[in-house]
Amino acid sequence: MSTPGDPRDPNRPPGPPPAAAAPQAGPPSAGQPAPGQGAPYPPPGAAYPAQGAPYPAQGYPYPPQGYPYPPQGYPYPPQGYSYPPQGYPHPPQGYPHPPQGYPHPPQGYPYPPQGYPPPQGQVAPAAPPRPTGHGFFAFLRLSLLRAVRLRIDPDEVLPSERAELERAGVTEPSFQAFLAWRRSILFAVATLLVPLIVLKAVEIFGDGDGGLPASVASTLQAIEAIPLAVEVGFCALAWWQLKRWTQWRRQRRTLAWGWLVFFLTPFVVYLYPLRSLTAELVGGASGPEAKAVALLLGIGFSLQAMMTLAPKAVSLIPGMVRAATVTKLLFPGSAAPGWLIVLGAPIYALFVYVVLIVPYQLTGSGYFAVAIVAIVAAEFLLGRGGYQLARPLTHDQAVAGIKRARRLYFVALGTAGVFMIVAMGQLIEQLDWKPLTVINLVATFVTNVWILTLITTDLLIAGLDRARGLSAGTTRLADEFERQLAAFIGQKTTAMAAVAPPPGTDAPP
């Protein structure tokens, strides 16, 4: 029950409560504890202090849980006053917020309930986003989205990833983002290798002998099974290394050696002369017809070898170029990644031309010709963009340059992809390939590009670190190099290098 003028009275008119008489100094009444620090709070039935009356001194115990809060309009405790202990109920909705500068509740104190109005002039904070990446399929989806990108921002690192990295001693935000991006690529590759291995096993062992003698069919299966077994081993290595994703220095060496075996094994296996198997097929005959059959079988074996080796070989340069772009975004002040893009783009254009000219001549399809021209144009645009990146830049300049270069590059590459799909459809029809073969080719190419991006990025970062160590204390040699180079290109002095214009601007005539 409340007394007249009690500010807790729900029938009290709005506005500040009437001022109460200041308490008189003197000894406390009988049964009343002395006011001051440590004295108990008034019981729930007692009147609340009137507006303007001094608040209890700092350290004075707060009302017990369940004690009614002051009504709306009652002034907040002055700045510096200790907050209620954890568990004390919050003011009801509509109660005015503490004034600006008032200390925040201590850590662990419950926040105002949902719907409590924010202070005047401020916007209520947005609800925190729901955590993503928890669970196998959720993290697989997140990893696939990360894998198609060249980097992630530090604020995209999952809280669980950040906590694990901090436990491992990794506190630098950009390095945390790099390791989280790298972990996602490794997880995506390890996951995709599992169904890819199953599909390859079905393709190798599920078609029977194909009308070939048993000895020839078993020899071909053994040759194709060796790279498959190595692929199983690399998949197991990738899953094992996922547990050590925070230990970058140790993991990068292990993955590099494992990938080298995984990459080179098919090239070593196909050094076996498959043409020697034709002797049994022609039954030892040596006439013109037998030679023609042996020649056709040799062409068939060579096409089989090309279909196995081409996805690995063709993925080499794209993985290297992607890794150079990632490294440029990580270290925009380095010019080496840009030069790697400049050198890799024309080499890849020539390599793709040599690879695609074989199916083009087999089918005579003009779609292959258009695809080849589009890929060459895409690599030319990429090399031109890489030349703009082959100098020290700021982070914003590097991001803008990469976006500009990749925009036209993807337009040309998308055009090539459309015509390539049509051309491959004609090739499949003429050679009577199965859809499973095409799926294996595409999946092998994608997984190899992703793992090459990871491996080559590690190698480039390690190479930049080694170059930094080798270049320490070589200022005199660098000056001598600049003087020698100036003599070749006709510059009078190298002193202008110290006042060179900033990146992105033209030098004066």
Side-chain angles (χ1 to χ4, degrees), residues 305-318:
M306 185 192 72
M307 299 308 297
T308 303
L309 303 178
K312 288 181 173 290
V314 172
S315 64
L316 187 61
I317 304 296

Side-chain angles (χ1 to χ4, degrees), residues 93-287:
Q93 187 170 353
Y95 190 79
H97 215 271
Q100 190 169 1
Y102 190 78
H104 211 271
Q107 187 171 2
Y109 187 77
Y111 220 79
Q114 189 171 2
Y116 189 77
Q120 190 173 3
Q122 297 186 20
V123 181
R130 298 179 62 184
T132 58
H134 296 283
F136 178 84
F137 292 103
F139 187 67
L140 176 61
R141 178 180 177 274
L142 178 65
S143 297
L144 293 175
L145 293 176
R146 286 177 173 180
V148 298
R149 299 166 58 186
L150 296 176
R151 59 185 291 272
I152 63 173
D153 294 326
D155 58 358
E156 296 181 70
V157 179
L158 299 177
S160 58
E161 292 175 329
R162 195 180 305 279
E164 192 170 350
L165 287 166
E166 289 176 352
R167 284 195 298 269
V170 181
T171 58
E172 209 283 322
S174 60
F175 192 35
Q176 288 182 342
F178 168 70
L179 291 183
W181 169 83
R182 189 176 174 277
R183 176 201 184 195
S184 292
I185 290 185
L186 185 59
F187 181 77
V189 170
T191 304
L192 292 180
L193 280 177
V194 174
L196 183 59
I197 289 171
V198 174
L199 292 177
K200 287 185 176 180
V202 171
E203 185 180 7
I204 294 173
F205 302 105
D207 292 341
D209 55 12
L212 298 174
S215 59
V216 175
S218 60
T219 302
L220 289 176
Q221 287 182 349
I223 291 174
E224 295 175 341
I226 294 175
L228 182 63
V230 174
E231 196 163 331
V232 172
F234 183 74
C235 179
L237 176 66
W239 282 108
W240 176 51
Q241 288 299 311
L242 276 171
K243 300 178 181 179
R244 307 168 60 185
W245 67 279
T246 60
Q247 306 173 18
W248 177 71
R249 290 185 177 275
R250 295 176 58 187
Q251 188 187 73
R252 68 177 180 84
R253 294 187 178 93
T254 304
L255 284 177
W257 285 108
W259 169 81
L260 193 63
V261 175
F262 165 72
F263 182 79
L264 293 179
T265 297
F267 293 90
V268 175
V269 166
Y270 277 98
L271 288 175
Y272 182 86
L274 294 174
R275 177 73 181 266
S276 61
L277 300 176
T278 60
E280 183 176 348
L281 295 175
V282 298
S286 58

